[in-house]
């Protein structure tokens, strides 16, 4: 009996020490291929229409994801189709808005991108109507800390399902030909959507320790849902943080990844201090 | 219309309550002969009259019959049935019955006995009872028998992952199970992060799982009720059981306090990993990693009409480290514990009316702590969450006739939730942020057990539930109906409908039941979870082979189920080291959605004989829909698994030795896993301000993010399967009986997935690529254990 127990323990020990390699193994994920990635935001207030095109990097692949320069990119409304050539300056497919092709409020636009055997498409509609007025509720500058606080308010449009993006910039050399802009950090990230909020009045709070200027501008954009979902999902992305829920990235690109979204916007310039 | 309903009710009442004057009642308790333990769910059947009943949870039965002399059979699974001639012609009779275990009589020789409890006869659906004795012979991880884990081998029940004790019943989440130990709710059933349950099999008398067709006496959870009943203790003699395993040791002692009147049962378990490593570390260090649990039960018969039971449980898991040097002390770690106690009073008003009153206490706490003490400094931080319950419950069983019995009762629970409490002490400044939620959860129920005729049985019940927290009241009616129609003597069709409400929620973003999960109440913003379930099934008993077969289908729709918002974290604090640390409201981290689950379950069970065991198969679908998760698109629930199969076989080689095997198979579960990366661009509106900005600034996509294919839970990778075997040898020695068990977990060394994660690999030119790695937990694991019974 004693010998039997010793033999059993010896066998068990051998198994336990040899099983270290058991714990980790590589798994093949089936049907994984790179996809076309498209990023484009269109607006009547921005003179260029830009479309960025790349490939995603699939797992189990050594490829890179440089900007694609030989894709075929077309944008169309219900009447016209325009092909966007690749522009080295923007590192994107670009076309200047003109009388012949314009981004207009309320209109729907269609985007098609193809490269070799892959093609993707998307559509979006430019929001229409008046953009709410932004008022500056409060400002404060704490000289000792170089901190600027700006509190803003706007009233959401009634009976609509709108999304908004609000941003604030400090302006250096406002009167020069080429002023420079420094973005202030938004306490609430600056994205709102009616669907997820019952409030009609939004307060917005910003601070920045590096902006030393009196001139500021608030930009309020009325956006479509694609803009809101994509921006917030990118903003919330936390990678492989094991302590948080996975955050997926929104896309309205059929057959691919990325976003084709539209917005209209309004600017409000103001000064802080004397 | 009202008149017609009244007529119908009168007609039903006339059917089930014929004149009382000609009837008399036999009532009493069914007990184990050797220990005088009460036997719940024992069958009492009147031969040649076709009437019967079952004993309640406390072993009490009552049967009202027309004046006559009857032959009544008392039976219970694993016990030799007994027949008695009863003269019920003059007055009501109190008749206690003691049954003897079959093995004691037959010295281990099995007989092909008549089946004791017919599944087709029982007026329940989706309810399974697994004999504890059978569980004790089944193979187990490291030889640690676990009555709770054995439930994972039943149809409709899925585990939380490799080795976990989590239960996911019919598409529900782990918090949707009402787990009660002698009426006390258990809020965390995990030892060792879920690798072992807190239930010590040696102290458990009975374990019962209800997945659907919920009787109205149960409420407060959506998916299942797991009733665990502790043994009462031997009222005739002192006995005990002790065991040594690879992980822990255990001891059970029981015996009479006053012979035949009162008894006690005490059990204890403790792991000894910390004791083993102690010789290898210095005196200044003290690791703390252990689990322990104690069960104590006392019961006292106060004459024929009153019984009192006091049962208690205390369990604790601790993982930490303490170092004491010359002038400094460092101490950090975490622990969780869940003491409970139940005081119960059984009172028999008369032969037809039985009551039970329970006063219940449960206090679950999970705590993380860190302390540093030096000559000049003291710093301590503790974070804890928990739930404390004090509850009063009063139930009546009223046996009106052999065709009609009524159960009714009321329960009041006072919950105190502490979802997060943070206390920081540091020399000059102290911080204490404790948020408590006080609430009451109340229930009022009535169950009507009606046998319309010999073929049609029903349980028509209603529960009114109420919850109040933070001045927010919720009232919800919960109708419950179960109907059993006998198609033949051994074959019946069953259908059930139940509506359930759940007012307390477990916030868990791992889904595997870690102690870090938080219990929270329904509030104004977080509505109660509600589900409706329809179950339809057939039950067949194969008399000669002692086999029961059931086939059931179910559809369950749940609403207001909670999910974490994308990116939400389960630690509700920002930076634990920061003095300005602020708890984040849990309500801001969650969102409500809809759950849909449906499936079919097959269960073939053989409870006794030379070869016993069961085969269970589940085919199921389980989906979730949240407006704020996965962009409002429906996705598979984390525990969705199309196929689940479990085969449990126990073979009695001889009177002294048993060979058992378990094979489980589960098709792959969905995971959220990247299949690639891409660069995204967030618009920052600068282009509106400056036309040149489009060239001046780097506006290319620059945020590297993951491609999650179709979103949440859209990838399925590897299936799960495993074979475990064990061999038990019993030997009767002069003073005690010893059992040696040798077992192997994962016999063919299957690398089963525990979790997946991304990893980086480089080629010869130093280019990198991402690959998916699977982490497995338990390879081939042999075990040996030794136990004695005296």
């Amino acid at each position: 009996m004693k010998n039997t127990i010793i033999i059993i323990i010896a066998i068990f020990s051998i198994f336990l020490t040899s099983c270290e390699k058991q714990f980790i193994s590589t798994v093949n994920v089936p049907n994984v291929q790179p996809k076309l990635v498209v990023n484009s935001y269109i607006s009547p207030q921005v003179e260029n229409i830009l479309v960025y095109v790349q490939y995603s990097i699939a797992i189990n692949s050594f490829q890179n994801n440089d900007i694609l320069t030989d894709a075929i990119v077309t944008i169309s409304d219900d009447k016209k189709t325009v092909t966007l050539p690749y522009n080295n300056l923007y590192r994107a497919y670009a076309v200047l808005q003109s009388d012949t092709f314009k981004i207009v409020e309320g209109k729907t636009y269609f985007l098609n991108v193809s490269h070799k055997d892959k093609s993707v498409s998307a559509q979006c509609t430019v929001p229409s109507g008046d953009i709410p007025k932004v008022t500056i509720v409060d400002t404060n500058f704490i000289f000792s800390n170089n901190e600027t606080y700006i509190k803003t308010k706007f009233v959401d449009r009634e009976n609509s399902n709108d999304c908004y993006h609000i941003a604030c910039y400090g302006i250096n050399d406002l009167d020069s030909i080429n002023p420079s802009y420094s973005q202030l950090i938004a306490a609430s990230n600056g994205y709102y959507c009616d669907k997820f909020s019952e409030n009609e009045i939004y307060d917005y709070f910003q601070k920045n320790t590096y902006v030393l200027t009196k001139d500021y501008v608030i930009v309020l954009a009325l956006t479509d849902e694609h803009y809101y979902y994509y921006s917030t999902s990118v903003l919330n992305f936390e990678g492989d943080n094991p302590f948080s829920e996975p955050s997926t990235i929104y896309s309205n690109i059929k057959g691919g990844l990325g976003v084709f979204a539209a917005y209209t916007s309004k600017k409000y310039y103001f000064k802080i201090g004397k | 219309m009202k008149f017609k309903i009244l007529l119908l009710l009168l007609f039903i009442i006339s059917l089930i309550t014929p004149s009382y004057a000609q009837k008399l009642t036999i009532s009493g308790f069914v007990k184990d002969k050797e220990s005088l333990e009460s036997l719940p769910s024992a069958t009492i059947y009147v031969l040649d009259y076709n009437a019967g009943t079952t004993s309640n949870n406390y072993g009490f039965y009552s049967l009202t019959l027309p004046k006559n002399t009857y032959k009544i059979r008392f039976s219970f699974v694993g016990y030799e049935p007994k027949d008695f001639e009863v003269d019920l012609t003059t007055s009501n009779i109190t008749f206690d019955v003691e049954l003897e275990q079959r093995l004691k009589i037959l010295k281990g020789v099995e007989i092909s006995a008549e089946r004791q409890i017919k599944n087709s006869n029982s007026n329940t659906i989706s309810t399974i009872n697994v004999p504890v004795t059978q569980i004790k012979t089944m193979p187990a991880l490291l030889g640690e028998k676990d009555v709770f884990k054995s439930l994972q081998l039943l149809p409709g029940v899925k585990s939380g992952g490799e080795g976990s004790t989590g239960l996911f019943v019919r598409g529900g989440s782990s918090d949707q199970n009402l787990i009660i130990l002698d009426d006390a709710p258990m809020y965390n059933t995990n030892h060792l992060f879920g690798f072992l349950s807190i239930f010590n099999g040696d102290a458990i008398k009975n374990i019962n799982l209800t997945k659907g067709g919920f009787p109205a006496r149960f409420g407060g959870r959506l998916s299942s009720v797991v009733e665990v009943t502790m043994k009462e203790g031997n009222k005739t003699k002192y006995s005990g059981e002790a065991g040594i395993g690879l992980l822990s040791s255990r001891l059970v002692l029981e015996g009479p306090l006053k012979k035949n009147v009162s008894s006690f049962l005490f059990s204890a378990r403790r792991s000894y990993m910390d004791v083993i490593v102690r010789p290898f570390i210095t005196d200044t260090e003290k690791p703390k990693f252990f689990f322990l649990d104690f069960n104590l039960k006392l019961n006292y018969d106060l004459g024929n009409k009153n019984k009192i039971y006091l049962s208690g449980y205390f369990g604790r898991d601790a993982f930490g480290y303490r170092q004491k040097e010359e002038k400094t002390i460092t101490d950090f770690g975490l622990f969780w514990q869940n003491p409970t106690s139940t005081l119960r009073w059984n009172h028999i008003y008369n032969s037809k009316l039985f009551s039970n009153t329970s006063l219940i206490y449960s206090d679950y706490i999970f705590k993380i702590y860190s302390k540093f003490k030096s000559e000049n400094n003291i710093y301590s931080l503790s974070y804890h969450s928990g739930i404390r319950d004090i509850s009063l419950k009063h139930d009546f069983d009223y046996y009106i006739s052999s065709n009609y019995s009524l159960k009714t009762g009321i329960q009041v629970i006072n919950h105190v939730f502490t979802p997060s409490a943070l206390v920081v002490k540091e020399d000059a400044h102290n911080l204490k942020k404790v948020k408590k939620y006080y609430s009451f959860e109340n229930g009022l129920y009535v169950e009507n057990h009606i046998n319309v005729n010999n073929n049609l049985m029903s349980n028509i019940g209603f529960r009114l539930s109420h919850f109040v927290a933070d001045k927010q009241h919720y009232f919800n009616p919960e109708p419950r109906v179960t109907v059993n129609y006998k198609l033949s003597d051994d074959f019946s069709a069953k259908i059930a409908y139940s509506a359930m409400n759940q007012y307390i929620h477990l916030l868990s973003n791992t889904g595997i039941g870690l102690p870090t999960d938080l219990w929270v109440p329904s509030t104004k913003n977080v509505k109660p979870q509600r589900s409706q379930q329809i179950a339809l099934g057939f039950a067949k008993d194969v008399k000669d082979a002692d086999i029961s077969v059931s086939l059931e289908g179910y559809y369950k729709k749940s609403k207001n189920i909670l999910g974490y918002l994308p990116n939400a974290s389960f630690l509700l604090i920002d930076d634990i080291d920061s003095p300005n640390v602020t708890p984040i409201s849990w309500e801001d981290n969650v969102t409500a959605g809809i759950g849909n689950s449906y499936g079919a379950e097959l269960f073939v069970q053989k409870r006794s004989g030379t070869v016993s065991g069961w085969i269970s198969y589940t085919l199921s679908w389980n989906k979730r829909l949240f407006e704020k998760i996965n962009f409002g698109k429906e996705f598979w629930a984390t525990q969705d698994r199309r196929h689940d199969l479990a085969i449990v076989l126990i073979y009695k080689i001889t009177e002294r030795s048993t060979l058992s095997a378990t094979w489980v198979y589960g098709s792959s579960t969905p995971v959220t896993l990247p299949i690639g990366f891409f660069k995204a661009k967030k618009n920052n509106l600068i282009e509106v301000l400056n036309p040149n900005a489009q060239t001046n600034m780097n506006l290319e996509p620059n945020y590297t993010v993951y491609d999650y294919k179709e979103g949440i839970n859209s990838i399925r990778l590897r299936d799960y399967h495993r074979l475990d075997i064990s061999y038990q040898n019993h030997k009767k020695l002069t003073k005690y009986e010893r059992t040696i068990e040798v077992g192997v977990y994962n016999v063919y060394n299957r690398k089963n997935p525990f979790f997946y994660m991304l990893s980086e690999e480089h080629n010869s030119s130093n280019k990198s690529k991402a690959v998916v790695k699977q982490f497995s937990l338990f390879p081939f694991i042999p075990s040996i254990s030794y136990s004695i019974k005296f």
Side-chain angles (χ1 to χ4, degrees):
Chain A
M1 184 67 190
K2 201 174 175 183
N3 286 342
T4 314
I5 292 171
I6 291 169
I7 290 166
I8 290 170
I9 292 170
I11 292 169
F12 287 1
S13 311
I14 291 164
F15 274 111
L16 285 172
T17 49
S18 64
C19 62
E20 196 182 310
K21 290 175 188 170
Q22 291 290 330
F23 300 114
I24 304 169
S25 52
T26 304
V27 180
N28 278 327
V29 183
N31 306 321
V32 174
Q33 285 192 329
K35 296 177 190 169
L36 276 174
V37 183
V38 176
N39 280 277
S40 178
Y41 297 92
I42 57 172
S43 170
Q45 284 81 28
V46 179
E47 57 188 23
N48 275 309
I49 301 167
L50 298 184
V51 180
Y52 298 91
V53 183
Q54 289 167 292
Y55 270 115
S56 69
I57 301 174
I59 55 169
N60 264 330
S61 159
F62 288 108
Q63 72 184 95
N64 56 33
N65 64 345
D66 288 343
I67 293 275
L68 273 182
T69 58
D70 56 345
I72 298 164
V73 180
T74 62
I75 188 167
S76 54
D77 55 20
D78 51 348
K79 288 176 186 160
K80 268 189 186 170
T81 299
V82 179
T83 301
L84 283 73
Y86 181 74
N87 187 315
N88 258 323
L89 189 64
Y90 300 120
R91 287 174 54 81
Y93 298 83
V95 68
L96 199 63
Q97 288 196 52
S98 65
D99 290 340
T100 51
F101 194 87
K102 257 188 185 171
I103 304 298
V104 179
E105 283 184 24
K107 252 190 170 183
T108 300
Y109 293 86
F110 304 89
L111 182 71
N112 283 288
V113 177
S114 58
H115 184 254
K116 294 180 181 168
D117 60 336
K118 286 190 167 60
S119 71
V120 296
S121 63
Q123 70 176 70
C124 65
T125 302
V126 184
S128 59
D130 292 340
I131 296 169
K133 188 173 186 290
V134 178
T135 51
I136 310 301
V137 179
D138 191 22
T139 62
N140 194 8
F141 177 72
I142 302 168
F143 189 77
S144 57
N145 296 334
N146 281 349
E147 283 180 349
T148 307
Y149 294 96
I150 300 163
K151 193 174 181 181
T152 65
K153 185 180 95 172
F154 67 90
V155 180
D156 176 33
R157 305 194 309 180
E158 277 182 22
N159 303 321
S160 58
N161 200 9
D162 294 325
C163 297
Y164 299 95
H165 179 197
I166 187 166
C168 182
Y169 284 88
I171 312 166
N172 286 322
D173 304 323
L174 178 63
D175 300 328
S176 72
I177 302 164
N178 200 5
S180 65
Y181 297 88
S182 311
Q183 191 168 12
L184 277 74
I185 297 163
S188 59
N189 298 321
Y191 299 100
Y192 302 99
C193 200
D194 266 4
K195 206 172 174 179
F196 301 134
S197 175
E198 291 170 359
N199 299 326
E200 292 197 325
I201 299 170
Y202 300 117
D203 287 337
Y204 186 63
F205 181 72
Q206 300 175 318
K207 70 171 187 175
N208 189 290
T209 50
Y210 307 107
V211 179
L212 286 170
T213 176
K214 291 175 184 175
D215 299 306
Y216 291 87
V217 61
I218 294 280
V219 185
L220 179 63
L222 183 63
T223 76
D224 62 5
E225 279 194 355
H226 307 306
Y227 188 112
Y228 173 81
Y229 280 127
Y230 188 72
S231 305
T232 51
S233 65
V234 171
L235 185 80
N236 291 331
F237 180 75
E238 279 236 354
D240 53 1
N241 178 356
F243 299 109
S244 70
E245 286 290 296
S247 47
T248 52
I249 304 295
Y250 178 80
S251 178
N252 67 332
I253 308 292
K254 277 184 192 163
L257 299 164
V259 71
F260 177 49
Y263 65 97
T264 59
S265 64
K266 213 168 177 180
K267 297 174 272 189
Y268 301 90
Y269 287 91
F270 62 99
K271 286 182 188 294
I272 292 179
K274 291 177 184 176
Chain B
M1 184 65 192
K2 278 181 181 172
F3 182 68
K4 283 181 183 173
I5 292 170
L6 193 66
L7 274 182
L8 184 68
L9 279 172
L10 286 172
F11 174 70
I12 292 171
I13 290 167
S14 67
L15 278 178
I16 56 182
T17 56
S19 69
Y20 287 94
Q22 300 161 15
K23 296 199 166 194
L24 292 170
T25 303
I26 175 172
S27 64
F29 286 88
V30 185
K31 299 174 185 175
D32 176 283
K33 188 179 179 181
E34 192 183 329
S35 64
L36 296 184
E37 284 245 2
S38 61
L39 298 176
S41 303
T43 303
I44 298 96
Y45 186 70
V46 187
L47 298 169
D48 304 324
Y49 185 72
N50 215 1
T53 186
T54 51
S55 60
N56 70 8
N57 273 353
Y58 305 94
F60 179 78
Y61 75 94
S62 171
L63 197 55
T64 301
L65 299 162
K67 283 181 178 177
N68 207 340
T69 305
Y70 295 98
K71 192 171 185 182
I72 300 179
R73 173 167 293 173
F74 294 81
S75 58
F76 186 68
V77 70
Y79 285 73
E80 186 62 13
K82 269 188 178 176
D83 296 349
F84 295 94
E85 287 282 346
V86 177
D87 181 8
L88 207 60
T89 53
T90 51
S91 60
N92 290 338
I93 297 175
T94 302
F95 193 70
D96 290 351
V97 174
E98 291 167 12
L99 297 179
E100 199 170 359
Q101 285 192 41
R102 204 179 290 160
L103 274 177
K104 307 274 179 199
I105 302 165
L106 299 167
K107 304 281 180 200
V109 181
E110 272 297 333
I111 53 163
S112 177
E114 187 181 343
R115 183 169 165 67
Q116 308 298 311
I117 299 170
K118 278 186 183 171
N119 194 16
S120 58
N121 258 348
S122 126
N123 190 21
T124 56
I125 186 171
S126 310
T127 302
I128 302 175
N129 177 278
V130 181
V132 175
T133 46
Q134 213 169 40
I135 295 165
K136 282 185 161 185
T137 54
M138 283 161 49
L141 176 62
L142 291 165
E144 300 284 343
K145 302 296 178 192
D146 200 319
V147 290
F148 203 67
K149 267 190 187 174
S150 66
L151 299 177
Q152 295 168 349
L153 303 171
L154 300 176
V157 185
K158 296 170 198 302
S159 70
E162 173 86 280
S164 159
T165 58
L167 294 184
F168 297 82
V169 182
R170 288 191 171 170
S173 52
S174 62
D175 67 330
Q176 292 175 358
N177 308 309
L178 176 63
I179 299 160
I180 43 178
L181 176 66
D182 278 356
D183 278 344
M186 307 302 291
Y187 287 101
N188 187 341
T189 56
N190 296 333
H191 272 322
L192 285 178
F193 296 98
F195 294 131
L196 210 62
S197 85
I198 56 172
F199 300 108
N200 182 348
D202 294 340
I204 303 300
K205 175 157 80 174
N206 193 43
I207 187 159
N208 212 54
L209 170 73
T210 307
K211 303 174 287 180
F214 299 96
R217 59 184 176 274
F218 295 125
R221 302 290 191 282
L222 299 192
S223 291
S224 83
V225 179
V226 180
E227 285 174 280
V228 184
T229 311
M230 274 171 64
K231 284 181 188 169
E232 289 162 16
N234 198 320
K235 279 191 183 130
T236 58
K237 63 171 187 179
Y238 294 99
S239 63
E241 210 171 333
I244 299 173
L246 293 177
L247 212 54
S248 68
S249 283
R250 60 190 199 279
L251 172 74
V252 180
L253 293 172
E254 58 182 312
L257 292 168
K258 187 177 174 186
K259 200 167 180 182
N260 298 335
V261 174
S262 59
S263 64
F264 77 93
L265 178 130
F266 171 77
S267 77
R269 264 196 314 182
R270 196 193 190 279
S271 64
Y272 30 63
M273 297 164 284
D274 52 339
V275 181
I276 292 168
V277 299
R278 202 159 288 163
F280 305 102
I281 52 177
T282 61
D283 292 341
T284 57
E285 295 170 296
K286 189 180 176 189
K288 285 181 268 184
F289 41 97
F290 66 87
F291 74 80
L292 56 83
D293 57 48
F294 302 102
N295 290 83
L296 177 68
K297 190 158 179 174
L298 306 172
N299 72 88
Y300 202 90
D301 284 3
L302 300 163
N304 291 331
K305 301 216 163 187
N306 296 289
K307 282 174 193 285
I308 284 186
Y309 304 84
L310 175 67
S311 50
Y313 165 85
F314 177 81
R316 186 180 172 106
D317 277 67
F319 300 88
Y321 177 82
R322 181 185 162 92
Q323 187 173 39
K324 190 177 178 184
E325 287 177 334
E326 211 172 306
K327 289 173 183 171
T328 62
I329 297 173
T330 309
D331 192 3
F332 60 88
L334 59 91
F335 70 85
W336 67 93
Q337 62 188 38
N338 194 170
T340 71
S341 60
T342 311
L343 178 64
R344 288 190 290 189
W345 169 43
N346 285 180
H347 178 65
I348 299 167
Y349 287 90
N350 57 50
S351 59
K352 290 184 177 186
L353 186 59
F354 174 94
S355 80
N356 175 64
T357 309
S358 301
L359 180 65
I360 303 152
Y361 171 81
S362 173
D363 188 6
Y364 167 64
I365 185 169
F366 165 73
K367 189 170 182 178
I368 303 174
Y369 62 90
S370 167
K371 284 179 199 166
F372 176 79
K373 192 178 174 186
S374 67
E375 260 185 318
N376 308 318
N377 264 321
I378 296 176
Y379 172 81
S380 80
L381 179 147
S382 79
Y383 168 82
H384 73 264
S385 68
I387 174 169
R388 197 270 293 134
D389 283 2
I390 293 176
S391 167
L392 187 64
K393 196 165 154 270
H394 193 44
D395 306 293
F396 290 100
D397 289 3
Y398 187 29
Y399 302 88
I400 297 167
S401 76
S402 61
N403 291 326
Y404 181 38
S405 64
L406 187 129
K407 284 177 191 280
T408 185
I410 187 166
Q411 181 168 24
V412 178
I413 308 170
N414 169 234
H415 299 289
V416 180
F417 297 86
T418 315
S420 68
L422 182 73
V423 180
V424 182
K425 288 180 187 169
E426 189 175 15
D427 300 332
H429 65 272
N430 293 338
L431 175 83
K432 190 172 183 180
K433 291 187 175 176
V434 181
K435 172 86 177 166
K436 284 183 187 283
Y437 293 82
Y438 298 89
S439 68
F440 277 94
E441 183 178 357
N442 309 312
L444 180 67
Y445 75 88
V446 59
E447 284 177 29
N448 296 281
H449 295 258
I450 304 167
N451 297 346
V452 179
N453 56 42
N454 286 340
N455 292 329
L456 187 61
M457 292 183 276
S458 65
N459 176 2
I460 299 165
F462 180 81
R463 186 181 180 90
L464 179 66
S465 60
H466 167 245
F467 186 82
V468 55
D470 209 13
K471 294 178 187 169
Q472 178 69 36
H473 288 264
Y474 291 102
F475 281 98
N476 281 302
E478 300 174 11
R480 318 276 177 83
V481 180
T482 304
V483 177
N484 181 8
Y485 185 74
K486 287 183 79 172
L487 299 164
S488 71
D489 186 38
D490 287 325
F491 187 40
S492 66
K494 302 179 181 193
I495 189 164
Y497 166 83
S498 44
M500 308 289 279
N501 285 284
Q502 181 164 338
Y503 300 99
I504 64 172
H505 321 277
L506 183 70
L507 299 184
S508 164
N509 67 349
T510 59
I512 56 171
L514 288 179
T516 46
D517 300 343
L518 309 169
W519 284 98
V520 292
S522 292
T523 62
K524 201 172 184 177
N525 302 321
V526 179
K527 306 275 186 268
Q529 302 178 54
R530 184 170 170 80
S531 79
Q532 295 183 81
Q533 188 187 155
I534 292 176
L536 172 69
F538 297 93
K540 168 81 182 161
D541 292 286
V542 184
K543 195 174 171 182
D544 295 334
D546 190 18
I547 290 174
S548 67
V549 181
S550 73
L551 177 66
E552 290 184 11
Y554 68 91
Y555 178 77
K556 184 160 80 179
K557 190 168 179 115
S558 313
K559 66 176 188 180
N560 297 335
I561 54 174
L562 288 193
Y564 265 107
L565 285 167
N567 214 28
S569 170
F570 64 75
L571 277 177
L572 296 180
I573 40 179
D574 282 331
D575 178 2
I576 205 160
D577 289 328
S578 162
N580 301 319
V581 62
T582 314
I584 300 163
S585 167
W586 59 270
E587 285 182 83
D588 297 336
N589 262 335
V590 298
T591 183
I594 292 168
N596 268 317
S597 53
Y598 46 93
E601 298 163 1
L602 174 70
F603 189 50
V604 182
Q605 187 182 25
K606 190 168 187 304
R607 292 165 69 107
S608 59
T610 311
V611 177
S612 63
W614 68 83
I615 297 170
S616 83
Y617 171 70
T618 310
L619 174 68
S620 63
W621 290 263
N622 185 9
K623 295 171 186 170
R624 295 282 184 272
L625 180 65
F626 289 79
E627 193 179 9
K628 292 186 183 176
I629 300 177
N630 210 33
F631 310 107
K633 285 189 290 180
E634 194 172 52
F635 59 94
W636 295 111
T638 309
Q639 302 302 328
D640 175 70
R641 206 153 50 202
R642 203 65 61 245
H643 306 281
D644 262 294
L645 177 67
I647 300 172
V648 177
L649 285 177
I650 299 158
Y651 174 51
K652 273 192 172 169
I653 305 166
T654 65
E655 185 193 337
R656 288 174 42 198
S657 54
T658 312
L659 183 67
S660 61
T662 305
W663 187 70
V664 289
Y665 169 82
S667 54
S668 55
T669 50
V671 288
T672 307
L673 197 65
I675 57 163
F677 311 85
F678 66 99
K679 287 196 172 173
K681 169 177 154 42
K682 245 186 340 164
N683 207 32
N684 56 14
L685 297 176
I686 184 72
E687 65 279 8
V688 176
L689 299 171
N690 184 359
N692 296 323
Q694 282 172 305
T695 55
N696 286 348
M697 297 180 72
N698 179 14
L699 294 176
E700 283 177 28
N702 57 353
Y703 292 91
T704 299
V705 292
Y706 290 167
D707 171 13
Y708 278 111
K709 203 177 176 186
E710 305 295 326
I712 300 284
N713 290 344
S714 59
I715 294 172
R716 289 172 198 265
L717 294 172
R718 303 189 78 182
D719 293 348
Y720 183 100
H721 51 90
R722 194 189 80 231
L723 173 70
D724 309 330
I725 55 168
S726 85
Y727 170 78
Q728 279 188 352
N729 183 274
H730 312 272
K731 192 171 183 183
K732 190 115 186 160
L733 303 167
T734 45
K735 288 187 176 172
Y736 58 90
E737 183 185 321
R738 69 107 182 97
T739 301
I740 292 178
E741 178 173 335
V742 181
V744 178
Y745 184 89
N746 198 359
V747 173
Y748 52 86
N749 201 21
R750 161 80 179 174
K751 289 179 187 173
N752 281 310
F754 182 56
F755 67 90
Y756 302 100
M757 66 180 289
L758 278 189
S759 179
E760 206 174 3
E761 279 184 2
H762 296 268
N763 65 4
S764 51
S765 51
N766 212 23
K767 269 191 154 184
S768 67
K769 70 171 181 178
V771 292
V772 174
K773 294 278 185 189
Q774 173 194 291
F775 285 71
S776 304
L777 212 55
F778 299 122
F780 174 99
I781 299 180
S783 65
I784 185 164
S785 63
Y786 182 86
S787 60
I788 56 168
K789 206 172 178 178
F790 50 90

